[in-house]
Amino acid sequence: MSPTTEAPTIPGAKGHTDGAGAFVPVQTRSERFRSTDPAAFEAPTGREVNWKHTPIQRLQRLFADAAGDAGAVSLSVGGPVAAAGLAVGQAPRGEFFVPEDVPAAVAWTRSAEALYVSIPAEAELDEPVVIEATGGGADLVGHSHVVVEASRHSRATVVLRHEGSAQFAQNVEIIVREGAHLELVTVQRWDDDAVHAASHQARVDRDATLRHVVVSFGGGVVRVNPSVELAGAGSRAELYGLSYSDSGQHLESQVYLHHKGAETTGDVLYKSALQGAAARTVWIGDVLIGPDAVATDSYEANRNLVLTEGARAESIPNLEIETGDIRGAGHASATGRFDDEQLFYLQARGIPEAEARRLVVLGFLAEIVQKIGVADLEAELFAAIEEELAKEDLA
């Protein structure tokens, strides 16, 4: 893939012209303009398809092509493999990743050295590689580019943890080579005044598997957008997400799964719970089954549990199919309050209403937590859910 895709004929990369010269807005994720040059993008106005659900006034400092502040976000790596650095143009940096929005382009340009985590071929790591990102202050702007490469027939788990506070634009480039199995978990437990815009782009090669999990609890505005291309025949992607939005929080994920190779499999499931005035989540799921992706099996779903008045969840699933030879494809979305039948069942067995509500929320979110496969992290997240539930009276 070239660093810059073909430029649109309409300034601002908002659309193109058809054969008759008429303006046609960008409608699908696959048509979006991409470039490593921040100047190639117009500043978002909130009317663009990829920004109209985001509070862009709170991300203004991430749109500026300026150097970041020293100490804004410090990165450290622990675990069974050592990290290295990659300059711009040094492989495999840029082998697949090309920014599709302004913060990602700025992060690309302003990250002189990318953090590189390489899993050796044939290696099977018993412990996760943990990348810690710690913010140095809400007024500081930081950028980073991370490259994670799982070499042929390797097996590993990589955990990205985010804490503290900052204005942070982040790119994560993920390459899963033939036959490899990679699990990448990104956990956002920022302070309430943090702003985080992350672009994850992954390519999964032949007979390889990527399990990608997004967990967002903290932060004022957190926008983590995963884009995964199932490039090789027999490749598989499992994309899961969990968010818990409190009053004033905006937690967002725009997910893109591109079935490009034959006999590929995709499973997308994101869940969120919301409580408190102005708590908000946004989930947009785009699945594209390309013309060569025969015998594909793909499904995406989003479930949202609204716990209090004033909370709002937006859920937009999209499915585009360019071949008739598939095993299956579907999408679903549901947003609602407590299931009265579940509450009645628990209360009928002597469980008080408040405890019954707690159990329903835990049961709803547990499906995602249990997919992580890292015992210590799962225990931490269950404890975090309990902390969230204790913040407000759900009755």
Side-chain angles (χ1 to χ4, degrees), residues 7-8 12 45 98 115 117 134 144 147 153 173 189 211 230 241 279 282 293 326-327 344 358 374 379 393:
T45 65
V98 184
L115 180 69
V117 174
T134 305
S144 80
V147 180
H153 301 291
E173 183 170 2
R189 300 201 66 186
R211 174 175 286 191
L230 294 175
V282 173
I326 62 173
R327 294 201 306 270
F344 176 79
R358 187 186 72 84
V374 181
D393 180 10

Side-chain angles (χ1 to χ4, degrees), residues 74-113:
S74 60
L75 299 178
S76 62
V77 181
V81 298
L86 292 175
V88 174
Q90 184 178 0
R93 180 177 180 176
E95 180 177 322
F96 179 73
F97 191 103
V98 184
E100 65 175 12
D101 62 27
V102 181
V106 173
W108 173 275
T109 302
R110 296 297 176 176
S111 299
E113 185 174 74

Side-chain angles (χ1 to χ4, degrees), residues 144-216:
S144 80
H145 190 96
V146 177
V147 180
V148 178
E149 180 184 20
S151 301
R152 295 178 71 254
H153 301 291
S154 64
R155 190 178 188 92
T157 297
V158 176
V159 179
L160 283 70
R161 302 179 61 96
H162 304 86
E163 297 179 344
S165 189
Q167 310 267 321
F168 189 41
Q170 177 190 50
N171 298 333
V172 181
E173 183 170 2
I174 306 163
I175 304 169
V176 189
R177 304 294 186 187
E178 181 179 347
H181 183 112
L182 176 67
E183 178 166 353
L184 188 141
V185 185
T186 177
V187 181
Q188 289 64 243
R189 300 201 66 186
W190 296 104
D191 294 344
D192 290 342
D193 52 2
V195 175
H196 182 196
S199 177
H200 291 216
Q201 294 184 17
R203 190 191 70 217
V204 187
D205 291 339
R206 183 181 184 90
D207 295 326
T209 297
L210 171 65
R211 174 175 286 191
H212 186 279
V213 186
V214 178
V215 179
S216 297

